[in-house]
Amino acid sequence: FFLSLKLEKKTKGKLQKQICQVVLDHFEKQYTAELGDAWSSVRDVLTSPWCWQHAVLLNRFSQSPGLESSLAEQGYHPAFPAALPYLPAAFRCYTRTAPGRFPAQKHQPGRLKEYYLLNAASLLPVLALEVKDGESVLDLCAAPGGKSVAILQCACPGHFHCNEYDDLRSRWLEQTVESFIPDPLINLITVSKLDGRQIGDLQPEFYDKVLVDAPCSNDRSWLFSADPQQAVLRLMQRKELSSLQFQLLRSAVKALRPGGSLVYSTCTLSKAENSDVINLILSSCRSVVPVDISGMARGVSQEFTFLSGTQQHELLVLPEKGRAWGPMYVAKLKKVSST
């Protein structure tokens, strides 16, 4: 026991040193103003990686007979209740309240992985999207590929377009798809490196469902920026992100068929990158309307903590001890007429 306590202290000290003060100061100012009292408990989790949790999303294409009993022995339980508005039978994800992570699996060419480790809150955009078999689906900013893999745990799209503009991240996406998806299904997937802002013009009104998991100021990783100069640069560029996010969202709206729906998500707490972007698209684009996702939020309220006072078409997951999921912002829109 004393040894584990000693190790924990050592780990805490080590991780504590890595927190980037310039980023923490910036967040302190912004999020105290935006989140009020909720910020202090969120900050405690974000700055304490030893209390972070990891969910285990099972791969329906590569089932391991003893995996679920092994997870149960280690205190894992199914994460999402069957009462959710949309929860396909094949979609199975496990979480536990204890911190730490299940062992990761290495990439082996020609062999499918049995599970994907991720932040459980990052599955909410996929469940909000409600993909059905045969639909034409676009994942606009797909790398590293966790949400693409999760979509394929839910349904088999008629056509699935996974796009990632960044070259290095695109290779990561391709490897993720190879690691989780069998050959016959891979033939239905197109991986591209297009500028997401142009896809709406290139493929107007082509898709039934679009996921825009936008590039954002990733609060968790930014807090541990090893290079203070890089951190300062990131904070300066942060102001430009909302403009990029709006352009990606506008492109996604163009790419949607009338009657189709899109989900916008980020892993930041920042209002400028979340509800402000959604409000701007709703006020400037008459072809889309908000979609109520409060039923999904109620269904998972045992597992996640949400910021109160958000609109019915959006939610923001706030990390807290024992439920250290998020940050994750999710909003859903539907296209009602041609752009």
Side-chain angles (χ1 to χ4, degrees):
F1 169 75
F2 288 112
L3 181 67
S4 69
L5 199 66
K6 212 171 174 180
L7 275 170
E8 193 183 318
K9 275 188 177 170
K10 199 175 174 184
T11 312
K12 281 189 182 184
K14 205 172 168 187
L15 290 163
Q16 199 66 43
K17 277 181 202 150
Q18 294 173 358
I19 290 170
C20 184
Q21 196 59 45
V22 67
V23 175
L24 185 56
D25 291 346
H26 179 88
F27 284 179
E28 194 75 50
K29 195 175 170 184
Q30 180 181 347
Y31 294 147
T32 300
E34 289 180 10
L35 303 174
D37 295 343
W39 165 239
S40 63
S41 58
V42 170
R43 180 193 56 216
D44 289 349
V45 173
L46 292 182
T47 55
S48 312
W50 58 87
C51 77
W52 294 1
Q53 296 152 268
H54 292 82
V56 182
L57 176 67
L58 304 197
N59 185 11
R60 66 173 169 143
F61 307 113
S62 169
Q63 289 174 1
S64 164
L67 180 57
E68 284 177 272
S69 55
S70 171
L71 285 164
E73 280 165 23
Q74 293 185 48
Y76 285 86
H77 60 271
F80 297 99
L84 276 181
Y86 172 86
L87 191 76
F91 185 90
R92 285 173 305 153
C93 177
Y94 286 81
T95 57
R96 63 176 184 180
T97 50
R101 66 195 292 164
F102 204 64
Q105 291 183 310
K106 285 200 171 84
H107 174 68
Q108 292 176 291
R111 187 170 175 184
L112 295 181
K113 291 186 181 182
E114 293 158 1
Y115 54 87
Y116 191 97
L117 301 176
L118 77 181
N119 184 320
S122 65
L123 295 169
L124 294 176
V126 172
L127 295 176
L129 196 60
E130 301 189 24
V131 174
K132 296 176 179 64
D133 287 348
E135 288 183 325
S136 193
V137 181
L138 168 63
D139 189 349
L140 193 69
C141 316
K147 292 182 182 68
S148 300
V149 166
I151 285 169
L152 291 164
Q153 303 308 313
C154 294
C156 181
H159 173 62
F160 191 21
H161 182 177
C162 300
N163 181 67
E164 178 53 53
Y165 185 47
D166 182 88
D167 200 46
L168 192 66
R169 287 171 63 81
S170 181
R171 288 204 291 277
W172 189 3
L173 169 65
E174 282 176 354
Q175 191 181 85
T176 302
V177 170
E178 278 170 29
S179 294
F180 286 91
I181 311 304
D183 283 341
L185 251 185
I186 279 188
N187 298 335
L188 300 173
I189 303 170
T190 304
V191 177
S192 67
K193 290 192 279 190
L194 298 165
D195 183 337
R197 293 170 291 188
Q198 296 168 359
I199 287 180
D201 291 324
L202 295 170
Q203 297 179 305
E205 304 197 341
F206 187 81
Y207 298 97
D208 301 299
K209 302 278 166 72
V210 180
L211 174 62
V212 185
D213 186 42
C216 67
S217 47
N218 184 323
D219 295 351
R220 270 185 195 244
S221 68
W222 279 28
L223 272 167
F224 294 89
S225 303
D227 179 356
Q229 286 173 312
Q230 183 202 35
V232 170
L233 190 64
R234 275 176 168 173
L235 292 173
M236 283 164 63
Q237 291 171 336
R238 193 178 201 205
K239 297 180 186 77
E240 295 156 31
L241 277 169
S242 54
S243 171
L244 169 65
Q245 290 154 348
F246 174 73
Q247 290 168 50
L248 289 167
L249 203 44
R250 195 168 52 187
S251 174
V253 170
K254 286 181 185 175
L256 258 189
R257 288 178 180 147
S261 52
L262 75 80
V263 167
Y264 173 80
S265 60
T266 74
C267 52
T268 180
L269 299 160
S270 175
K271 185 173 170 286
E273 298 176 51
N274 294 339
S275 50
D276 287 359
V277 174
I278 291 295
N279 289 340
L280 185 58
I281 204 86
L282 285 170
S283 63
S284 63
C285 190
R286 290 185 181 166
S287 62
V288 287
V289 294
V291 176
D292 186 351
I293 54 171
S294 58
M296 181 184 78
R298 277 193 302 276
V300 295
S301 59
Q302 290 300 304
E303 197 78 53
F304 302 100
T305 303
F306 297 108
L307 178 69
S308 58
T310 56
Q311 303 287 305
Q312 287 186 317
H313 61 273
E314 60 179 358
L315 57 86
L316 178 61
V317 179
L318 301 178
E320 67 169 35
K321 288 217 167 102
R323 299 196 287 187
W325 312 115
M328 180 58 55
Y329 176 80
V330 183
K332 186 170 184 179
L333 307 174
K334 182 177 181 177
K335 189 167 184 176
V336 288
S337 61
S338 286
T339 314

